[in-house]
Amino acid sequence: MAKRIQFSRHGGPEVLEYVDYEPAQPGPNEVRVRNRAIGVNFIDNYYRDGLYAPPSLPSGLGTEGAGEIEAVGAGVTHLKVGERVAYATGPLGSYSELHVLPAANVVRLPESIGFEQAAAVILKGLTVQYLLRQTYPVKRGDIVLFHAAAGGVGSIACQWARSLGAKLIGVVGSAQKAEQAKALGAWATIDRTREDIRQRVLELTGGAKCPVAYDSVGKDTWEISLDCVAPRGLMVSFGNSSGAVSGVNLGILAQKGSLYVTRPTLGSYANSAENLQTMADELFEMIASGAITLDVARRVALSDAARAQTELAAGRTTGSTVLLPD
Protein backbone atom coordinates (compact mmCIF):
# COMPACT_ATOMS: atom_id res chain seq x y z
CA MET A 1 0.00 0.00 0.00
CA ALA A 2 1.01 3.61 -0.52
CA LYS A 3 -0.41 7.07 0.12
CA ARG A 4 -1.81 9.52 -2.40
CA ILE A 5 -4.03 12.58 -2.78
CA GLN A 6 -7.29 12.00 -4.66
CA PHE A 7 -10.64 13.69 -5.18
CA SER A 8 -14.06 12.10 -5.69
CA ARG A 9 -15.95 15.29 -6.64
CA HIS A 10 -15.05 18.66 -8.08
CA GLY A 11 -14.69 21.69 -5.86
CA GLY A 12 -12.21 23.68 -3.78
CA PRO A 13 -9.15 22.35 -1.98
CA GLU A 14 -11.43 20.84 0.66
CA VAL A 15 -12.36 17.98 -1.74
CA LEU A 16 -8.81 16.60 -1.64
CA GLU A 17 -8.43 13.35 0.32
CA TYR A 18 -5.25 11.74 1.65
CA VAL A 19 -5.83 8.01 1.23
CA ASP A 20 -4.22 4.58 1.08
CA TYR A 21 -4.19 2.95 -2.34
CA GLU A 22 -2.72 -0.06 -4.10
CA PRO A 23 -0.12 1.09 -6.68
CA ALA A 24 -0.43 -0.57 -10.05
CA GLN A 25 2.33 -2.65 -11.55
CA PRO A 26 3.85 -0.96 -14.60
CA GLY A 27 2.41 -2.30 -17.85
CA PRO A 28 4.18 -2.57 -21.20
CA ASN A 29 6.31 0.53 -21.90
CA GLU A 30 5.55 1.94 -18.44
CA VAL A 31 7.64 2.63 -15.33
CA ARG A 32 6.82 3.11 -11.67
CA VAL A 33 8.54 6.03 -9.96
CA ARG A 34 9.03 6.42 -6.22
CA ASN A 35 8.51 10.14 -5.82
CA ARG A 36 10.99 12.07 -3.70
CA ALA A 37 9.45 15.47 -4.52
CA ILE A 38 6.27 16.54 -6.34
CA GLY A 39 5.55 19.75 -8.21
CA VAL A 40 2.50 21.93 -7.51
CA ASN A 41 1.07 23.85 -10.47
CA PHE A 42 -1.95 25.97 -11.27
CA ILE A 43 -3.20 23.39 -13.77
CA ASP A 44 -3.76 21.03 -10.82
CA ASN A 45 -6.48 23.41 -9.62
CA TYR A 46 -8.18 23.23 -13.02
CA TYR A 47 -8.56 19.44 -12.75
CA ARG A 48 -9.70 19.63 -9.14
CA ASP A 49 -12.37 22.29 -9.73
CA GLY A 50 -13.63 20.76 -13.00
CA LEU A 51 -12.38 23.25 -15.61
CA TYR A 52 -10.49 20.30 -17.07
CA ALA A 53 -12.09 16.88 -16.83
CA PRO A 54 -10.10 13.94 -15.41
CA PRO A 55 -10.70 10.59 -17.12
CA SER A 56 -12.84 9.39 -14.20
CA LEU A 57 -13.59 9.93 -10.51
CA PRO A 58 -12.16 9.32 -8.00
CA SER A 59 -8.99 10.66 -9.58
CA GLY A 60 -5.41 11.26 -8.61
CA LEU A 61 -3.95 14.72 -9.10
CA GLY A 62 -0.77 16.28 -10.42
CA THR A 63 1.50 15.59 -13.38
CA GLU A 64 4.99 16.58 -12.16
CA GLY A 65 7.52 14.87 -9.96
CA ALA A 66 11.00 13.53 -9.49
CA GLY A 67 12.39 10.39 -7.93
CA GLU A 68 13.80 6.98 -8.74
CA ILE A 69 12.62 4.21 -11.03
CA GLU A 70 11.24 1.46 -8.80
CA ALA A 71 9.97 -0.93 -11.48
CA VAL A 72 9.85 -1.15 -15.27
CA GLY A 73 7.35 -2.80 -17.55
CA ALA A 74 7.92 -4.98 -20.58
CA GLY A 75 9.55 -3.25 -23.51
CA VAL A 76 11.32 -0.54 -21.46
CA THR A 77 14.99 -0.68 -22.41
CA HIS A 78 16.25 2.90 -22.00
CA LEU A 79 15.50 3.19 -18.27
CA LYS A 80 16.46 0.90 -15.41
CA VAL A 81 15.54 0.38 -11.78
CA GLY A 82 17.27 2.87 -9.49
CA GLU A 83 17.77 5.52 -12.17
CA ARG A 84 17.12 9.15 -11.18
CA VAL A 85 14.31 10.65 -13.27
CA ALA A 86 11.81 13.49 -13.54
CA TYR A 87 8.54 13.91 -15.39
CA ALA A 88 6.12 16.68 -16.24
CA THR A 89 3.29 15.23 -18.34
CA GLY A 90 0.41 12.90 -17.48
CA PRO A 91 -1.29 10.79 -16.54
CA LEU A 92 -2.74 12.42 -13.43
CA GLY A 93 -1.50 11.04 -10.15
CA SER A 94 1.86 12.54 -9.21
CA TYR A 95 0.48 13.63 -5.80
CA SER A 96 1.47 10.21 -4.49
CA GLU A 97 4.30 8.18 -3.05
CA LEU A 98 4.39 5.95 -6.15
CA HIS A 99 3.33 6.85 -9.68
CA VAL A 100 3.01 4.72 -12.81
CA LEU A 101 3.38 6.46 -16.15
CA PRO A 102 4.60 5.87 -19.72
CA ALA A 103 8.37 5.58 -19.97
CA ALA A 104 8.21 8.03 -22.88
CA ASN A 105 7.07 10.75 -20.42
CA VAL A 106 10.14 10.36 -18.19
CA VAL A 107 13.49 12.12 -18.59
CA ARG A 108 16.83 11.23 -17.06
CA LEU A 109 17.88 13.56 -14.28
CA PRO A 110 21.53 14.65 -14.07
CA GLU A 111 23.27 14.17 -10.72
CA SER A 112 23.74 17.94 -10.58
CA ILE A 113 19.97 18.49 -10.23
CA GLY A 114 18.35 17.56 -6.90
CA PHE A 115 14.92 15.97 -6.64
CA GLU A 116 13.34 19.09 -5.12
CA GLN A 117 14.92 21.26 -7.82
CA ALA A 118 13.64 18.94 -10.54
CA ALA A 119 10.09 18.75 -9.15
CA ALA A 120 10.04 22.52 -8.80
CA VAL A 121 11.29 23.22 -12.31
CA ILE A 122 10.53 20.45 -14.79
CA LEU A 123 6.98 21.45 -15.82
CA LYS A 124 7.51 25.18 -15.44
CA GLY A 125 10.92 25.08 -17.09
CA LEU A 126 9.73 23.01 -20.04
CA THR A 127 6.84 25.46 -20.40
CA VAL A 128 9.27 28.38 -20.61
CA GLN A 129 11.42 26.41 -23.05
CA TYR A 130 8.61 25.96 -25.55
CA LEU A 131 7.25 29.49 -25.02
CA LEU A 132 10.53 31.36 -25.50
CA ARG A 133 12.36 28.94 -27.77
CA GLN A 134 9.61 27.48 -29.96
CA THR A 135 6.20 29.20 -29.82
CA TYR A 136 7.89 32.56 -30.43
CA PRO A 137 11.68 32.23 -30.66
CA VAL A 138 12.73 35.25 -28.62
CA LYS A 139 15.65 37.23 -30.06
CA ARG A 140 18.18 39.61 -28.55
CA GLY A 141 16.60 43.04 -28.17
CA ASP A 142 12.98 41.85 -28.29
CA ILE A 143 10.70 43.56 -25.77
CA VAL A 144 8.21 40.93 -24.62
CA LEU A 145 5.28 41.07 -22.19
CA PHE A 146 4.92 38.30 -19.60
CA HIS A 147 2.10 38.05 -17.05
CA ALA A 148 2.58 36.64 -13.53
CA ALA A 149 6.31 37.32 -13.81
CA ALA A 150 7.00 36.50 -10.16
CA GLY A 151 5.22 33.14 -10.22
CA GLY A 152 6.75 29.73 -10.84
CA VAL A 153 6.77 29.97 -14.65
CA GLY A 154 7.42 33.71 -14.68
CA SER A 155 10.43 33.45 -12.37
CA ILE A 156 12.10 31.13 -14.86
CA ALA A 157 10.98 33.20 -17.86
CA CYS A 158 12.60 36.35 -16.43
CA GLN A 159 15.94 34.58 -16.21
CA TRP A 160 15.73 32.77 -19.54
CA ALA A 161 14.71 35.95 -21.40
CA ARG A 162 17.64 37.81 -19.86
CA SER A 163 20.03 35.07 -20.97
CA LEU A 164 18.71 35.47 -24.53
CA GLY A 165 19.33 39.22 -24.44
CA ALA A 166 15.60 40.02 -24.53
CA LYS A 167 13.84 42.71 -22.51
CA LEU A 168 11.01 41.16 -20.52
CA ILE A 169 8.26 43.39 -19.15
CA GLY A 170 6.85 41.49 -16.21
CA VAL A 171 3.28 42.06 -15.05
CA VAL A 172 2.94 41.41 -11.30
CA GLY A 173 0.44 41.90 -8.49
CA SER A 174 2.40 43.80 -5.86
CA ALA A 175 5.44 45.97 -5.25
CA GLN A 176 7.17 43.04 -3.56
CA LYS A 177 6.63 40.83 -6.60
CA ALA A 178 7.87 43.62 -8.85
CA GLU A 179 11.13 43.71 -6.90
CA GLN A 180 11.47 39.94 -7.17
CA ALA A 181 10.88 39.92 -10.94
CA LYS A 182 13.46 42.67 -11.43
CA ALA A 183 15.99 40.77 -9.33
CA LEU A 184 15.44 37.71 -11.52
CA GLY A 185 16.09 39.60 -14.74
CA ALA A 186 12.93 41.40 -15.80
CA TRP A 187 13.87 44.51 -17.77
CA ALA A 188 10.84 46.37 -16.41
CA THR A 189 7.77 45.54 -14.34
CA ILE A 190 4.14 46.66 -14.24
CA ASP A 191 2.20 46.43 -10.98
CA ARG A 192 -1.30 45.71 -12.24
CA THR A 193 -2.81 46.80 -8.90
CA ARG A 194 -1.74 50.43 -9.36
CA GLU A 195 -0.56 50.87 -12.96
CA ASP A 196 -2.34 50.78 -16.31
CA ILE A 197 -0.82 47.88 -18.24
CA ARG A 198 -1.67 49.25 -21.68
CA GLN A 199 -0.30 52.70 -20.93
CA ARG A 200 2.91 51.43 -19.37
CA VAL A 201 3.61 49.13 -22.33
CA LEU A 202 3.24 52.09 -24.70
CA GLU A 203 5.62 54.12 -22.54
CA LEU A 204 8.19 51.35 -22.24
CA THR A 205 8.19 50.53 -25.96
CA GLY A 206 8.01 54.10 -27.26
CA GLY A 207 4.56 53.36 -28.67
CA ALA A 208 5.71 50.32 -30.66
CA LYS A 209 4.12 47.69 -28.37
CA CYS A 210 5.48 44.14 -28.09
CA PRO A 211 6.01 41.50 -30.78
CA VAL A 212 4.64 38.89 -28.37
CA ALA A 213 2.59 38.79 -25.17
CA TYR A 214 2.62 35.69 -22.94
CA ASP A 215 -0.60 35.52 -20.92
CA SER A 216 -1.30 32.83 -18.32
CA VAL A 217 -4.10 34.80 -16.63
CA GLY A 218 -6.81 34.29 -19.24
CA LYS A 219 -10.23 35.94 -19.08
CA ASP A 220 -9.33 39.04 -17.06
CA THR A 221 -6.34 40.09 -19.19
CA TRP A 222 -7.21 38.76 -22.66
CA GLU A 223 -8.12 42.08 -24.26
CA ILE A 224 -5.51 43.99 -22.29
CA SER A 225 -2.82 41.70 -23.66
CA LEU A 226 -4.14 42.05 -27.21
CA ASP A 227 -3.81 45.82 -26.86
CA CYS A 228 -0.14 45.39 -25.94
CA VAL A 229 0.80 43.39 -29.06
CA ALA A 230 2.30 45.16 -32.06
CA PRO A 231 0.61 44.83 -35.48
CA ARG A 232 1.08 41.30 -36.86
CA GLY A 233 2.42 40.26 -33.48
CA LEU A 234 1.61 37.11 -31.52
CA MET A 235 -0.66 36.68 -28.52
CA VAL A 236 0.24 33.51 -26.57
CA SER A 237 -2.54 32.48 -24.18
CA PHE A 238 -1.17 29.59 -22.11
CA GLY A 239 -3.19 29.62 -18.88
CA ASN A 240 -6.52 30.40 -17.21
CA SER A 241 -5.79 31.56 -13.67
CA SER A 242 -8.70 34.05 -13.84
CA GLY A 243 -10.93 31.78 -15.93
CA ALA A 244 -10.94 30.50 -19.48
CA VAL A 245 -11.05 32.84 -22.47
CA SER A 246 -14.31 32.19 -24.32
CA GLY A 247 -16.50 33.73 -27.00
CA VAL A 248 -13.52 35.05 -28.95
CA ASN A 249 -14.46 37.30 -31.86
CA LEU A 250 -11.81 36.84 -34.54
CA GLY A 251 -12.64 40.28 -35.91
CA ILE A 252 -10.89 41.74 -32.86
CA LEU A 253 -7.60 40.40 -34.21
CA ALA A 254 -8.09 42.39 -37.40
CA GLN A 255 -9.08 45.54 -35.54
CA LYS A 256 -6.00 45.40 -33.33
CA GLY A 257 -3.49 44.97 -36.16
CA SER A 258 -3.87 41.57 -37.91
CA LEU A 259 -2.70 39.77 -34.80
CA TYR A 260 -1.90 36.09 -34.45
CA VAL A 261 -3.14 34.05 -31.47
CA THR A 262 -2.11 30.62 -30.21
CA ARG A 263 -3.15 28.46 -27.26
CA PRO A 264 -0.17 26.11 -26.85
CA THR A 265 0.31 23.16 -24.52
CA LEU A 266 3.42 21.31 -23.46
CA GLY A 267 2.11 18.06 -24.89
CA SER A 268 2.04 19.48 -28.40
CA TYR A 269 5.74 20.35 -28.21
CA ALA A 270 7.04 17.45 -26.10
CA ASN A 271 5.23 15.04 -28.42
CA SER A 272 7.88 12.32 -28.43
CA ALA A 273 10.39 10.92 -25.98
CA GLU A 274 13.18 12.39 -28.07
CA ASN A 275 11.68 15.90 -28.16
CA LEU A 276 10.94 15.78 -24.45
CA GLN A 277 14.50 14.77 -23.53
CA THR A 278 15.96 17.41 -25.86
CA MET A 279 13.86 20.13 -24.24
CA ALA A 280 14.74 18.88 -20.76
CA ASP A 281 18.45 18.73 -21.60
CA GLU A 282 18.39 22.40 -22.67
CA LEU A 283 16.63 23.29 -19.41
CA PHE A 284 19.13 21.34 -17.32
CA GLU A 285 22.02 23.00 -19.18
CA MET A 286 20.57 26.43 -18.36
CA ILE A 287 20.48 25.46 -14.68
CA ALA A 288 23.97 23.95 -14.72
CA SER A 289 25.39 27.10 -16.35
CA GLY A 290 23.87 29.31 -13.66
CA ALA A 291 21.69 31.17 -16.18
CA ILE A 292 18.66 29.90 -14.25
CA THR A 293 18.60 29.59 -10.47
CA LEU A 294 15.71 27.92 -8.71
CA ASP A 295 13.65 29.22 -5.82
CA VAL A 296 11.99 26.34 -3.98
CA ALA A 297 10.06 28.77 -1.84
CA ARG A 298 7.76 26.31 -0.08
CA ARG A 299 8.06 22.69 0.98
CA VAL A 300 4.76 21.15 2.09
CA ALA A 301 3.96 17.63 3.26
CA LEU A 302 2.03 15.57 0.70
CA SER A 303 -0.75 15.10 3.26
CA ASP A 304 -1.17 18.90 3.38
CA ALA A 305 -1.61 19.37 -0.38
CA ALA A 306 -4.89 21.27 0.10
CA ARG A 307 -3.05 24.07 1.90
CA ALA A 308 -0.51 24.32 -0.91
CA GLN A 309 -3.27 24.64 -3.50
CA THR A 310 -5.11 27.25 -1.40
CA GLU A 311 -2.01 29.44 -1.20
CA LEU A 312 -1.33 29.09 -4.92
CA ALA A 313 -4.90 29.90 -5.98
CA ALA A 314 -4.92 32.99 -3.73
CA GLY A 315 -1.78 34.36 -5.38
CA ARG A 316 0.12 34.32 -2.08
CA THR A 317 3.12 32.39 -3.43
CA THR A 318 6.30 33.35 -5.21
CA GLY A 319 8.73 30.92 -6.76
CA SER A 320 7.84 27.23 -6.65
CA THR A 321 6.11 24.92 -4.17
CA VAL A 322 6.94 21.23 -3.81
CA LEU A 323 5.16 18.46 -1.95
CA LEU A 324 7.27 15.96 -0.03
CA PRO A 325 5.99 12.44 0.72
CA ASP A 326 5.38 12.15 4.46
Side-chain angles (χ1 to χ4, degrees):
M1 298 295 288
K3 292 286 191 179
R4 77 167 185 170
I5 294 291
Q6 70 176 31
F7 59 105
S8 301
R9 58 187 175 88
H10 295 297
E14 71 280 357
V15 305
L16 297 182
E17 307 165 302
Y18 186 55
V19 300
D20 293 310
Y21 81 110
E22 185 69 37
Q25 291 295 321
N29 301 310
E30 292 182 333
V31 297
R32 188 168 69 199
V33 177
R34 176 165 291 279
N35 286 326
R36 300 301 183 184
I38 300 150
V40 177
N41 298 283
F42 222 101
I43 193 172
D44 304 340
N45 294 345
Y46 301 158
Y47 282 106
R48 187 207 67 228
D49 65 22
L51 178 62
Y52 295 163
S56 62
L57 292 176
S59 173
L61 191 62
T63 60
E64 178 183 40
E68 298 138 341
I69 299 287
E70 187 186 75
V72 299
V76 178
T77 58
H78 66 292
L79 296 169
K80 61 182 184 295
V81 172
E83 196 160 12
R84 302 174 76 253
V85 295
Y87 58 90
T89 56
L92 293 176
S94 68
Y95 283 28
S96 62
E97 294 177 334
L98 297 169
H99 187 37
V100 175
L101 70 164
N105 291 9
V106 173
V107 298
R108 293 186 183 87
L109 186 62
E111 290 291 339
S112 59
I113 309 294
F115 292 128
E116 290 185 13
Q117 284 183 307
V121 77
I122 187 71
L123 179 58
K124 303 170 188 69
L126 290 175
T127 298
V128 175
Q129 197 280 341
Y130 81 71
L131 289 174
L132 300 190
R133 302 285 285 147
Q134 298 186 73
T135 304
Y136 176 91
V138 171
K139 305 179 296 298
R140 179 171 297 277
D142 280 343
I143 302 178
V144 304
L145 185 70
F146 207 101
H147 286 268
V153 173
S155 296
I156 298 169
C158 288
Q159 299 175 74
W160 207 318
R162 178 176 58 185
S163 75
L164 295 171
K167 299 177 178 180
L168 183 144
I169 302 173
V171 181
V172 296
S174 70
Q176 178 186 0
K177 290 186 176 184
E179 291 178 4
Q180 180 183 357
K182 288 292 290 291
L184 289 169
W187 173 67
T189 58
I190 301 172
D191 183 347
R192 57 179 170 76
T193 65
R194 60 183 184 84
E195 296 179 284
D196 185 289
I197 297 173
R198 296 179 178 93
Q199 185 60 38
R200 284 293 290 140
V201 166
L202 288 174
E203 293 169 359
L204 290 166
T205 63
K209 301 184 182 180
C210 300
V212 60
Y214 297 101
D215 190 331
S216 61
V217 177
K219 177 172 63 70
D220 288 354
T221 54
W222 164 254
E223 291 208 26
I224 293 172
S225 292
L226 289 178
D227 285 336
C228 296
V229 177
R232 293 190 293 173
L234 178 63
M235 166 67 174
V236 182
S237 177
F238 70 99
N240 314 287
S241 62
S242 70
V245 176
S246 61
V248 176
N249 176 4
L250 292 180
I252 293 176
L253 305 181
Q255 296 167 15
K256 295 185 183 296
S258 299
L259 304 183
Y260 294 86
V261 174
T262 185
R263 180 59 172 89
T265 64
L266 175 58
S268 297
Y269 288 88
N271 57 359
S272 69
E274 293 75 18
N275 286 346
L276 175 60
Q277 188 69 59
T278 296
M279 293 167 64
D281 287 344
E282 183 176 6
L283 171 63
F284 296 148
E285 287 169 10
M286 293 290 289
I287 296 169
S289 71
I292 292 176
T293 58
L294 305 177
D295 175 20
V296 182
R298 290 171 184 249
R299 295 167 177 83
V300 179
L302 174 62
S303 57
D304 206 12
R307 177 169 64 89
Q309 286 204 342
T310 299
E311 294 292 306
L312 183 66
R316 292 194 290 266
T317 64
T318 58
S320 297
T321 299
V322 297
L323 301 176
L324 302 179
D326 298 53

